Amino acid sequence: MAVLEPWEAIAARKKQERDSKIPPQWRIPSSLLPSLDVLDVHDFPKTDRELLITESTASTVVSKIASGEWTALEVTEARDGKTIGPLHGLLISLKVRLGSTIGYVSYAEKPATSDSTLVTVLVQAGAILYVKTNVPATLMMGESVNNVFGRTKNPRNRELTSSGSSSGESCLVSFRESFMGIGTDIGGSIRNPSSFTELTAIQPSHSQVSYQNAVNTYLGQEVMRSCAGPMCRSVSDVRLFMSAVASQSPWLLDPQTLPIPWRSDAEKLPEKLCFGFGMGDGTVMPTPPLMRAMEIAKAKLIAAGHSFIDFIPSEHIEAADIISKMWEADSGEEFQRDTDVSVFDTWQNRHKRALLAQRWLEKWQATASETGTGRPIDGLIMPSIPFPAARHDAGYPHHWGALSPLLDLTTGVFPVTQVDLKKDVIPSDWEPISETDGKVWKCYGKPKNHENALVGLTVIGRILEEEKVTAMLDVITKALGIDY
């Protein structure tokens, strides 16, 4: 019988391979690293020239390179001599899902043999892809930790998670070591990490950004499909990514990408918008920091001339149930779960999704009688998760990540505030509205458990509304600023 090599040896070899690829001049001497007792490392010092570049948005970088003010050499130590494409010279990082191990030791020495279509498109647009970032094993976890590369920590507080599964991307972009990151999302994996790290991001509809040839779980599952999208420091960077990718006609390479160019006209919004206000789902309420973030967003947008109506996305409960049954449809073969789901059950589950999508659309359309604009709500503002960044291994008793991917709704993320140790204490008269609500608030505990954690929200649009959601992000971020 063959003797299997210990997984620890394989993981150690993979980490050594990774370390050997980092140029010596990019290595930070251990004497300059912050000590382990320093929890907030997001402002780790850099030289003035480096700071000027690394603090810039992706949009500024490509503009400076195109004008000749900066060189690609200064940004990446590699210069081509001429501008090629709208992303020329821009450093972009990729979630490991778009390029190999997805956190499995068994994949550690099985490198990808070809590029994903999105990688091909980004290189064609002039981007420089220089690093892959960490994910959880299986991708289906709310925190990035695996037996190959270990745990990803939040730059604002290294005792906290930066969520999952695109948390390696969120940390790197937030830490100013990448100008733009590409994450993926099937249950909150762009939205939650971006909310935890002060990023602006978009989870597009599935057919807008190619997912072809990406390493994936649940291959062949079509009820709810992963999507890829940008995780950025500004709305202009979201627009840059989405328009640049569309400009490369990816539908000529991927039959599942729709032939839709970036529609600038769709970014023109009415002067006054009306948003839905989604404070919870009817069974769970946001914890104090998220509740405060919602009120901040509402007050500042009203002050800017916009309006709100209450819109509780109670459909999330059914969406979560549909997704749970979908993930069990392989009888656990992929993740060795013990379930008993028949083919007929799977068909019924897909039918439930279609009925839910119909009811959601009807509910959305019906708001035209309440908004005062003559239109349905322009977008729905709500958290993607009811609590801020938690301590490592804390788990997620509840989240609101199911509805957008299940119904393929374009969803944007924007930063709002930071956990406040005085303002975000649980009120003495608080009572849970359900058993799950009690579990969520118990998990939150007290603001000290989430010290320095950042808090973001989402704005949900309809399917294929990437331009409109990007424009709404622009309106929202200009009205809100950063409340800390």
Side-chain angles (χ1 to χ4, degrees):
M1 180 181 292
V3 177
L4 295 178
E5 184 177 15
W7 68 263
E8 294 91 344
I10 299 171
R13 203 157 52 238
K14 184 66 176 178
K15 283 185 278 194
Q16 185 177 19
E17 176 195 333
R18 173 201 62 189
D19 294 346
S20 70
K21 294 178 179 179
I22 302 174
Q25 64 271 29
W26 289 9
R27 297 174 183 269
I28 300 173
S30 57
S31 60
L32 297 181
L33 293 173
S35 62
L36 294 177
D37 60 344
V38 177
L39 300 181
D40 185 349
V41 295
H42 82 280
D43 274 337
F44 187 64
K46 306 171 184 69
T47 67
D48 291 342
R49 181 61 173 175
E50 287 173 337
L51 193 61
L52 175 64
I53 294 174
T54 59
E55 290 291 318
S56 299
T57 64
S59 304
T60 299
V61 171
V62 294
S63 175
K64 296 280 189 182
I65 291 175
S67 69
E69 187 173 342
W70 291 350
T71 68
L73 177 63
E74 284 187 287
V75 180
T76 66
E77 296 197 352
R79 188 178 183 185
D80 212 42
K82 61 180 180 179
T83 300
I84 12 173
L87 300 178
H88 178 78
L90 182 65
L91 283 169
I92 293 182
S93 51
L94 297 173
K95 181 178 182 178
V96 162
R97 185 173 203 162
L98 295 162
S100 59
T101 68
I102 62 171
Y104 289 142
V105 173
S106 59
Y107 285 13
E109 296 180 322
K110 298 177 182 178
T113 56
S114 62
D115 289 337
S116 69
T117 301
L118 180 54
V119 165
T120 300
V121 167
L122 292 172
V123 171
Q124 188 174 293
I128 297 173
L129 308 178
Y130 75 111
V131 69
K132 295 180 291 188
T133 53
N134 205 27
V135 296
T138 77
L139 299 170
M140 308 301 292
M141 292 170 57
E143 177 173 8
S144 286
V145 56
N146 62 67
N147 287 329
V148 184
F149 297 119
R151 187 185 300 275
T152 300
K153 300 178 181 179
N154 194 312
R156 295 279 174 163
N157 183 340
R158 290 191 280 179
E159 291 184 345
L160 303 180
T161 173
S162 49
S163 189
S165 60
S166 305
S167 53
E169 282 303 312
S170 70
C171 287
L172 199 68
V173 178
S174 175
F175 199 54
R176 302 304 192 258
E177 294 305 312
S178 176
F179 295 106
M180 178 188 293
I182 312 304
T184 64
D185 196 312
I186 196 173
S189 294
I190 287 176
R191 290 162 288 157
N192 295 344
S194 297
S195 297
F196 287 0
T197 52
E198 197 187 346
L199 299 186
T200 305
I202 196 166
Q203 173 213 307
S205 294
H206 173 80
S207 57
Q208 291 298 90
V209 177
S210 176
Y211 209 83
Q212 185 170 259
N213 298 332
V215 182
N216 207 356
T217 50
Y218 293 118
L219 290 171
Q221 181 281 121
E222 296 288 317
V223 175
M224 182 180 73
R225 297 176 293 177
S226 296
C227 67
M231 303 169 72
C232 309
R233 303 183 210 158
S234 71
V235 178
S236 61
D237 292 353
V238 170
R239 183 182 295 110
L240 173 66
F241 172 86
M242 295 299 297
S243 60
V245 166
S247 74
Q248 302 305 302
S249 302
W251 48 85
L252 299 180
L253 302 173
D254 179 0
Q256 293 202 58
T257 300
L258 293 177
I260 302 176
W262 185 255
R263 302 160 294 187
S264 298
D265 286 349
E267 290 192 75
K268 297 175 183 176
L269 300 177
E271 184 178 350
K272 294 186 177 181
L273 302 174
C274 181
F275 296 99
F277 190 68
M279 188 70 91
D281 61 12
T283 63
V284 171
M285 291 291 286
T287 55
L290 278 299
M291 195 176 291
R292 184 167 57 84
M294 287 287 288
E295 296 296 348
I296 289 170
K298 183 177 183 179
K300 290 191 174 183
L301 283 165
I302 289 175
H306 307 291
S307 61
F308 284 81
I309 64 168
D310 288 336
F311 189 100
I312 303 301
S314 55
E315 293 79 3
H316 165 78
I317 306 302
E318 184 177 355
D321 182 64
I322 291 172
I323 288 174
S324 177
K325 286 184 170 61
M326 177 273 295
W327 284 339
E328 294 169 356
D330 65 350
S331 296
E333 185 171 326
E334 185 164 357
F335 298 141
Q336 299 182 355
R337 286 195 301 256
D338 182 18
T339 60
D340 185 18
V341 181
S342 70
V343 173
F344 178 75
D345 290 335
T346 302
W347 289 347
Q348 291 295 101
N349 204 41
R350 295 186 69 167
H351 183 56
K352 287 180 181 178
R353 177 202 174 279
L355 294 176
L356 179 63
Q358 182 180 348
R359 290 199 307 274
W360 178 261
L361 178 60
E362 290 170 352
K363 178 177 177 177
W364 189 286
Q365 288 294 100
T367 61
S369 63
E370 303 176 57
T371 59
T373 64
R375 309 183 308 272
I377 55 173
D378 294 290
L380 170 63
I381 291 179
M382 66 175 293
S384 66
I385 195 165
F387 42 82
R391 293 184 181 272
H392 298 298
D393 300 319
Y396 283 18
H398 195 73
H399 68 92
W400 293 309
L403 199 62
S404 288
L406 184 66
L407 303 187
D408 209 16
L409 306 173
T410 306
T411 303
V413 185
F414 57 94
V416 182
T417 188
Q418 186 176 36
V419 169
D420 188 295
L421 298 184
K422 294 181 179 179
K423 296 178 181 178
D424 295 329
V425 175
I426 296 178
S428 58
D429 59 351
W430 169 78
E431 293 288 341
I433 64 173
S434 71
E435 182 180 352
T436 305
D437 190 53
K439 290 179 180 177
V440 167
W441 284 57
K442 182 179 179 180
C443 181
Y444 168 72
K446 56 186 178 182
K448 185 69 175 176
N449 294 343
H450 313 268
E451 189 168 7
N452 286 344
L454 301 176
V455 180
L457 298 172
T458 67
V459 56
I460 301 173
R462 304 183 196 226
I463 186 172
L464 299 175
E465 283 197 334
E466 284 68 32
E467 295 89 350
K468 182 177 180 180
V469 168
T470 299
M472 287 194 292
L473 284 173
D474 205 22
V475 168
I476 291 167
T477 54
K478 286 176 179 175
L480 268 60
I482 300 294
D483 194 78
Y484 61 90

